[in-house]
Amino acid sequence: MSRIGKLPVAIPEKVKVAVNGAEVTVEGPKGKLSKSFDQSVTVSVEDGNVIVAPGSNSRHSRAMWGTARSIIEGMVEGVQKPYERNLEIEGVGFKAQLKGKVLDLALGYSHPIEYNIPEGITVTVDGGTKVKVEGSDKHLVGQVTADIKSFYPVEPYKGKGVRIVGEYVRRKEGKKTA
């Protein structure tokens, strides 16, 4: 039995959850999300709660039971209060600029990096070095954050690059001369 899967997901007052076959749609004050699950789990709405149950007794079905419930809980939380991730850019001349729906990054390369912001994500830049990524979809917020970080991950010698706020970066000592 999945300890996470058997817990019901409470639906708050301002949130509406609709189940249409294998597709779950969650609508709230901060957005609308929908996700379809395979036939290994069954999802139903009963008495203001979302109940997730395994579709069969197979190993795959039992594995997806808790995962599906956790995803639905994240959807319900995201339409109430958006998820956010903060990035900071360190390095001489490294900066970010917002041009409409395009994030323009100057990260020490010979060309600027232009990142198109996907629908449903809000990016704000503060002071050119602090970037805030917000959205109601937890997976998409994390993916956009990882994409931006992948353009110039923090290097261990000088500490330059794009880092997630609060992330620990192990620093290395430079080369020693004889």
Side-chain angles (χ1 to χ4, degrees):
M1 293 278 298
S2 172
R3 292 182 186 183
I4 293 174
K6 63 184 172 185
L7 296 173
V9 178
I11 303 172
E13 289 180 15
K14 298 178 182 178
V15 177
K16 296 176 188 166
V17 178
V19 179
N20 185 10
E23 186 170 343
V24 177
T25 305
V26 180
E27 190 172 350
K30 300 290 183 182
K32 181 179 179 181
L33 298 173
S34 82
K35 174 101 171 116
S36 59
F37 298 95
D38 60 356
Q39 299 300 323
S40 61
V41 293
T42 58
V43 182
S44 61
V45 178
E46 299 170 8
D47 299 329
N49 291 323
V50 178
I51 309 295
V52 182
S56 66
N57 202 18
S58 69
R59 183 180 176 98
H60 175 72
S61 182
R62 286 182 283 129
M64 293 307 294
W65 180 19
T67 304
R69 187 245 177 231
S70 182
I71 290 170
I72 292 170
E73 183 183 36
M75 291 167 64
V76 170
E77 287 177 17
V79 296
Q80 293 180 72
K81 180 178 177 275
Y83 291 100
E84 67 178 50
R85 297 295 296 263
N86 294 312
L87 296 165
E88 60 185 6
I89 301 170
E90 285 187 25
V92 177
F94 287 21
K95 63 181 178 177
Q97 212 174 20
L98 200 58
K99 296 179 180 174
K101 290 292 280 179
V102 176
L103 182 65
D104 189 27
L105 298 164
L107 298 175
Y109 296 118
S110 61
H111 60 284
I113 298 166
E114 294 181 347
Y115 181 75
N116 293 320
I117 301 165
E119 199 65 38
I121 296 293
T122 306
V123 174
T124 54
V125 178
D126 184 31
T129 59
K130 293 184 180 5
V131 180
K132 183 178 180 182
V133 180
E134 278 186 309
S136 57
D137 188 356
K138 188 177 190 178
H139 173 75
L140 192 57
V141 168
Q143 186 62 52
V144 169
T145 304
D147 288 345
I148 294 170
K149 183 182 172 187
S150 71
F151 292 127
Y152 202 114
V154 179
E155 55 97 15
Y157 296 103
K158 293 183 181 176
K160 319 191 305 187
V162 181
R163 75 177 69 207
I164 298 170
V165 172
E167 173 187 33
Y168 174 74
V169 178
R170 198 177 110 200
R171 298 292 298 270
K172 293 183 179 177
E173 192 175 337
K175 186 166 44 169
K176 294 193 176 190
T177 56

